Structures are given as structure tokens and as C-alpha cells.
């Protein structure tokens, strides 16, 4: 059984193509992640799948129902937690859920029982009759996730479920999401620009950049595709002779340089640090710091798109393709992005 | 997805009423302006010679139906426009993604908005009695209720239609200044529209509130400019039209 089948789905706004000819499928019961920077088209994709936006071309099915032809059936089979909170803060938690249940046509008898279940599931029994305005950010999120599950959908969409939450609450929310997936058996599609979130939670991840899917696989397979650790040397001095020594090393899989930084891909990075430091020393390069990056989805994203997610978000206007880190020995590539901080925004 | 889904309409109505009753400050705020108008204009102009005022009707008597109409105009239009506040806080998406037809959503909003506007209008009517207002006939009060409902439906529909043309609540101030207040001044709520210059009077004749206020005046005070059936007919037409326009425009609102 397929939870979602997307076929050549596109959405353009005027000149801008937000979603560009996407095709993929999500299996029943899967926890599927769309990882990419803000503005990559993830929310647009979700909004089309939940029938709030009409595709420019292509189509998709949710739980077997076409998103253009069968909007009612699609809406009945899905639950969604939007990126921005969508609760009535003047109503209590219970009133928000009752409102939701009524819109989804649940009868009073089933409704009350189901609402009790949901409060128990998200651990908000004690606060059910408090106005939502008095809830903390994490509690609101939990209530929304619970609400998304209230009408027992077969697919739950979570658009950036942990944006704006502190680290602790984020972790708790991950646990809830995982539990919903395990216990309720609901298929989950979540979008995120948090590497860790996609990596920890998702069975499969699609890496989305600029409206397209750059890769789609399990987190482990995506990381394996990089084939090694990245050793990052912050350096000072002329790099030319150092680079020619690197070219000669069989264990250097690839590397890139910028005036202050060398990124070298090797297997088992920790065992090669001594060698690299010695090489630098011999070629008169001063090392300010050494760092090892084990492959994670951030490095996968970097190698696929040529920029980190944070860079994409802070500098989405510049053309990212000309600083590609591909190629085995692009020794003269001036990676102008290396001077910004390629960090996850946490 | 039924075109008309009673359970969802009830849910939307219930939400509006709950929110309204939960915030007494909102109730007080909503009736304070018409009440102030009533007190200051009613007493301030009590001895003034207002051209076109029917003989034997003092200004307070004349003003109360107008202020009830004013309350309905504001209460109902704001209820329709509250779609924009829902959009601001994201709650509109929760409603739009549900398996409920847009028609039912508009009808639910009209049901809720009409109810809250009616409560406000009744409060004004009750509070006008200690100020000296005398009902012409208590037996006609049910007819007044019919007029109030028709005014409410007209202007909630109108508010929904207006809200469909904006993407957030920033246009609120403009709408109030350039749409709602002119409708109020051109409705005969404060003075007979007969005293207005011709081109402006035509605008007043196109204003549903003119017939609403006149109908209320006929029923509450026993003095009116037009026949009651004309007021009634005009309001029935305007409410049907506004609901249709509101629904039509709201159908086209993009959720995101």
C-alpha cells in the first residue's frame, strides 16, 4: 500500500518555480522526511498535498485519492500540523479538539472518547480545560500533533514540527512523533531544515533544494554515498606545495581548498590526522585548527548542492553552483562560502 | 463534502459565540461606541431642529433605531472580517484544510456573526430605555427581530466578501474609514437621508442599511420614510445577494 504517490508535481508562482517536477512515493507506515533549507519548496509541496494549493502541473495521490479530483477524500485521510501554529488561543485545548472533531464529522459519542485518548497520548490531560493561550510552545505543538491525529488519518503531515522550540522540547517532540508512528501506525511526512531531526527520526529522507529532490534514500545510505570523513584544516600560508603532496597521497579521496581552509575527504579521518599535520608541517603550512566531520546529512547536503543548509538560508540569492565541491581534485576552487560559518543553525 | 454541513456550521457558530461570551471586554467595547453616540447625540440634539424629522418624534426616539442599525453594521461586518484575524493567527488554515465546503464555512461565520451582533443590538436597545426611549409597540418586537437578522446576514456576508479581497488584517483601518463609516452616515441612522444632496442620496438608496434602519424605525417608533414591505424586500434581496457574493469570493481565497 502506498501512502503518497507524487507524479511530476510542479508549482510556479509567476516566474518562480517553487516545486519543480517532483516524483516520489511514501510507503504505508513510513516516517518520511523532506530535508532542505527554508525556501526550498517543502511547504509548497506539502500545501499541494493537503489540497490547500492547486498544482501548476502533475498530480499526486494521498492514501489512494487524487489531490485534485478527490479533495474531500484526501482531506479526510490526512492530518496536518502547519509550520505556524494554527490554534485558537482563546479556546481551551478541549474546545480546539472538539471544534476539529466536528469539522471532521465525528459524532459526539465517538468524539468525547477520542478526545480523551488524544489528551492522554500527548500528555495534556491536566491542561485540557485551560485556554491554549496559556500553553507553552511545546504544549501547543503537542496539542497540534494530537489534533492532527484526532480523526485517525492515514497520513500525518508535519511542516517543520520543531521550529521555534528549545532543544529540550524539540527532543521531546521527536519522541512523540516517533511514538505516533510506532503506536498509531500512521504514515508521517515531515519537513525540516534540521539535519539532526531528519537523521534521527526518518526512515527515508529526500534532500530538497531549489524545488527539486537531489537525493532520496535512508539516512544511512545517503551518508555511505559520501564514502568517508571530512578533515577540515584551518590553515595559513601558501597551499600549492601542500596540495601537490595531497594529490600524491592515495588515501586522499578528494579535497577542496579556500585561502584559509582545506577540506579533505578520507576514510577513518581520525587515523590520518597525524599524516596531514606532518604534510602541512613539511610544506610550510601553519595549522590553526583541525576538525573531523563524520558524514551526516549536512555533509550529504553539502556535497549534493555545494552549500550547507544554513548558507542556503542566509544567502539564498547567490548562485551556489559555482562553488561545487564535486570533482576529485578541484584544487584551485576558491570556495568563497568557506569564509561564512557553515554551521547548523542550532 | 456536503455543500451545507450542519455539524460544521454549528461548530463555527459555537466557536464565535464562545469567544464572544468569554471576553466581556469585547462585549463592552462593541456597545460602548453606539452607546456614547446615543447619549451624546441623543441629548445634545434633543432640542435641535433637524430638517426632515417626522413630526411628533423627538430626536432620541429617532436615533435609537439608527444606533441599533449602527451596532448591527459594525458587529456584523467585523464578524465577517474576522476571517482576516483568523488568517493572521493561522487558524484559517485549520478550517480550510478540513473536509468542509467553503459554503458551509461562510454560513457558519454568518450564523456566529449574526448571533453576536444581535446580542449587541439587543443590549443597546435595552440600555436605551433608561435613557428615555419608548417602544411604539411591544407586539411588533418579533418583526424588529426579523429586520435585525436580515441586517446581520447582509453585513456578515459583506464582511466576508471584503475579507476575501485582503490577505491580512492590515486593511482593517481603511475598510472602517472608507467603507463602514460612509455606510453608517448614508443610512439615515443620524438624520433623514432626504436632506442629503441628490447624488449622495442615490448612494444612500443603494445602501441596505438605509432600509434596515427605516424598517426598524417603523417597527420600534412607528414612523418610517418608506413602506415596510419595501424595507423588508430590499433587505431580503441584499442578504441573499451578499451571502452569494461572500461565498463566491471566499471560494476563491487561496489558503496559503
Amino acid at each position: 500500500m502506498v501512502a503518497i504517490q507524487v507524479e511530476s508535481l510542479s508549482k510556479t508562482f509567476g516566474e518562480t518555480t517553487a516545486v519543480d517536477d517532483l516524483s516520489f512515493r511514501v510507503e504505508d507506515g513510513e516516517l518520511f522526511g523532506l530535508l532542505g533549507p527554508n525556501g526550498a519548496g517543502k511547504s509548497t509541496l506539502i500545501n499541494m498535498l493537503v489540497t490547500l494549493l492547486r498544482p501548476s502541473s502533475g498530480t499526486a495521490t494521498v492514501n489512494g485519492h487524487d489531490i485534485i479530483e478527490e479533495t474531500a477524500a484526501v482531506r479526510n485521510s490526512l492530518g496536518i500540523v502547519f509550520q505556524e501554529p494554527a490554534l485558537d488561543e482563546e479556546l481551551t485545548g478541549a474546545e480546539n479538539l472538539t471544534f476539529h472533531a466536528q469539522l471532521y464529522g465525528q459524532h459526539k459519542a465517538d468524539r468525547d472518547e477520542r478526545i480523551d485518548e488524544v489528551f492522554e497520548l500527548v500528555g495534556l490531560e491536566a491542561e485540557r480545560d485551560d485556554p491554549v493561550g496559556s500553553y507553552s510552545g511545546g504544549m501547543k505543538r503537542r496539542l497540534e500533533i494530537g489534533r492532527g491525529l484526532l480523526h485517525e488519518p492515514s497520513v500525518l503531515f508535519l511542516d517543520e514540527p520543531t521550529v521555534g522550540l528549545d532543544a529540550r522540547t524539540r527532543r521531546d517532540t521527536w519522541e512523540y512523533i516517533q511514538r505516533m508512528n510506532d503506536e498509531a501506525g500512521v504514515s508521517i511526512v515531515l519537513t525540516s531544515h534540521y539535519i539532526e531531526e531528519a537523521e534521527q527520526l526518518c526512515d527515508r529522507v529526500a534532500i530538497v533544494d531549489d524545488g527539486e529532490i537531489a537525493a532520496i534514500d535512508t539516512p544511512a545510505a545517503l551518508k555511505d554515498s559520501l564514502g568517508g570523513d571530512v578533515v577540515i584544516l584551518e590553515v595559513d600560508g601558501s597551499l600549492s606545495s601542500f596540495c601537490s603532496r595531497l594529490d600524491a597521497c592515495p588515501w586522499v579521496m578528494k579535497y577542496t581548498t579556500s585561502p584559509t581552509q582545506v577540506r579533505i575527504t578520507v576514510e577513518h579521518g581520525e587515523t590520518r590526522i597525524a599524516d596531514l599535520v606532518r604534510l602541512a608541517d613539511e610544506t610550510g603550512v601553519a595549522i590553526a585548527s583541525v576538525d573531523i566531520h563524520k558524514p551526516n546529512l549536512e555533509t550529504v547536503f553539502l556535497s549534493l548542492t555545494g552549500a550547507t543548509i544554513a548558507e542556503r538560508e542566509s544567502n539564498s540569492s547567490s548562485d551556489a553552483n559555482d562553488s561545487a565541491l564535486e570533482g576529485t581534485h578541484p584544487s584551485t576552487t576558491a570556495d568563497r562560502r568557506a569564509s561564512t560559518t557553515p554551521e547548523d543553525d542550532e | 463534502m456536503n455543500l451545507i454541513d450542519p455539524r460544521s456550521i454549528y461548530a463555527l457558530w459555537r466557536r464565535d459565540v464562545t469567544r464572544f461570551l468569554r471576553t466581556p471586554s469585547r462585549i463592552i467595547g462593541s456597545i460602548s461606541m453606539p452607546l456614547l453616540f446615543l447619549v451624546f447625540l441623543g441629548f445634545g440634539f434633543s432640542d435641535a431642529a433637524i430638517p426632515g424629522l417626522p413630526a411628533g418624534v423627538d430626536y432620541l426616539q429617532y436615533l435609537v433605531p439608527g444606533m441599533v442599525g449602527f451596532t448591527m453594521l459594525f458587529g456584523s461586518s467585523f464578524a465577517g472580517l474576522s476571517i482576516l484575524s483568523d488568517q493572521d493567527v493561522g487558524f484559517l488554515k485549520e478550517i480550510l484544510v478540513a473536509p468542509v465546503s467553503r459554503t458551509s464555512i461562510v454560513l457558519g461565520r454568518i450564523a456566529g456573526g449574526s448571533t453576536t451582533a444581535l446580542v449587541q443590538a439587543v443590549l443597546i436597545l435595552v440600555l436605551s430605555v433608561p435613557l428615555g426611549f419608548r417602544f411604539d409597540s411591544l407586539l411588533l418586537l418579533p418583526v424588529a427581530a426579523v429586520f435585525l437578522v436580515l441586517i446581520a446576514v447582509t453585513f456578515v456576508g459583506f464582511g466576508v466578501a471584503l475579507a476575501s479581497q485582503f490577505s491580512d488584517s492590515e486593511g482593517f483601518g481603511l475598510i472602517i474609514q472608507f467603507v463602514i463609516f460612509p455606510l453608517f452616515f448614508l443610512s439615515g441612522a443620524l438624520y433623514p437621508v432626504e436632506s442629503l444632496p441628490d447624488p449622495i442620496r442615490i448612494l444612500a438608496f443603494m445602501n441596505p442599511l438605509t432600509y434596515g434602519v427605516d424598517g426598524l424605525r417603523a417597527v420600534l417608533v412607528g414612523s418610517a420614510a418608506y413602506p415596510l414591505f419595501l424595507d423588508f424586500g430590499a433587505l431580503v434581496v441584499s442578504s441573499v445577494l451578499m451571502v452569494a457574493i461572500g461565498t463566491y469570493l471566499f471560494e476563491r481565497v487561496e489558503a496559503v
Side-chain angles (χ1 to χ4, degrees), chain A residues 96-243:
Chain A
N96 267 285
L97 294 192
T98 304
F99 179 81
H100 182 89
Q102 286 170 329
L103 291 195
Y104 284 78
Q106 290 185 329
H107 297 279
K108 186 162 175 30
D110 315 337
R111 190 203 302 158
D112 292 345
E113 196 181 320
R114 183 70 189 135
I115 288 174
D116 291 343
E117 278 172 32
V118 165
F119 273 118
E120 198 185 330
L121 190 71
V122 298
L124 290 170
E125 295 107 313
E127 292 85 7
R128 57 178 292 157
D129 292 321
D130 296 344
V132 170
S134 70
Y135 284 25
S136 68
M139 285 158 67
K140 284 182 193 164
R141 265 290 121 116
R142 268 147 61 192
L143 183 65
E144 288 197 291
I145 294 174
R147 183 178 67 180
L149 292 167
L150 183 62
H151 55 287
E152 302 184 64
S154 45
V155 186
L156 180 64
F157 290 92
L158 304 169
D159 196 359
E160 299 280 2
T162 63
V163 155
L165 301 182
D166 60 69
R168 168 77 199 281
T169 319
R170 176 174 301 163
R171 249 158 253 282
D172 289 346
T173 308
W174 288 350
E175 251 173 63
Y176 282 108
I177 295 173
Q178 192 74 61
R179 261 181 53 205
M180 303 300 130
N181 185 234
D182 293 345
E183 290 173 21
V186 60
S187 319
I188 295 181
V189 175
L190 69 83
T191 74
S192 184
H193 65 283
Y194 295 126
I195 300 293
E196 220 187 327
E197 188 160 291
E199 204 162 330
Q200 293 225 344
L201 274 177
C202 297
D203 300 325
R204 278 194 312 145
V205 174
I207 294 195
V208 188
D209 187 42
D210 213 11
E212 297 180 38
I213 290 182
I216 186 165
D217 215 327
T218 63
L222 286 170
K223 286 186 283 187
D224 284 348
S225 71
L226 283 189
D229 304 346
V230 179
V231 178
I232 300 168
L233 305 176
E234 296 286 341
V235 294
D236 192 16
S238 164
L239 291 174
S240 52
S241 54
F242 180 59
C243 287

Side-chain angles (χ1 to χ4, degrees), chain A residues 72 75-76 91 95-108 111 151, chain B residues 1-18 86 91 94-113 250:
Chain A
R75 290 175 182 193
N76 269 316
L91 299 184
E95 285 166 345
N96 267 285
L97 294 192
T98 304
F99 179 81
H100 182 89
Q102 286 170 329
L103 291 195
Y104 284 78
Q106 290 185 329
H107 297 279
K108 186 162 175 30
R111 190 203 302 158
H151 55 287
Chain B
M1 209 150 58
N2 298 324
L3 193 61
I4 293 173
D5 170 9
R7 192 182 280 113
S8 302
I9 295 174
Y10 170 73
L12 288 156
W13 174 84
R14 177 79 186 269
R15 170 177 176 242
D16 279 353
V17 172
T18 307
D86 279 347
F91 195 70
E94 151 77 358
I95 298 172
L96 293 184
V97 82
V100 179
S101 72
R102 296 279 178 108
T103 306
S104 296
I105 297 173
V106 172
L107 291 178
R109 178 111 285 165
I110 287 175
F250 187 63

Side-chain angles (χ1 to χ4, degrees), chain B residues 19 21 34 75 110 124-125 162 190-191 205 229 237 248 251:
Chain B
R19 285 169 60 103
L21 294 180
I110 287 175
I124 289 294
L125 209 49
L162 273 181
L190 296 175
Y191 43 77
F205 288 148
F229 72 85
V237 170
Y248 175 84
E251 289 275 348

Side-chain angles (χ1 to χ4, degrees), chain A residues 330-346:
Chain A
S331 44
T332 51
T333 304
D335 186 359
R336 52 190 157 86
R337 268 184 195 73
S339 53
T340 66
T341 10
E343 301 259 306
D344 191 2
D345 56 353
E346 272 180 274

Side-chain angles (χ1 to χ4, degrees), chain A residues 258-271:
Chain A
S258 75
T260 59
Q261 203 183 57
V262 188
R263 291 166 169 261
I264 304 142
T265 307
V266 295
E267 262 179 63
H268 309 298
E270 58 280 0
T271 65

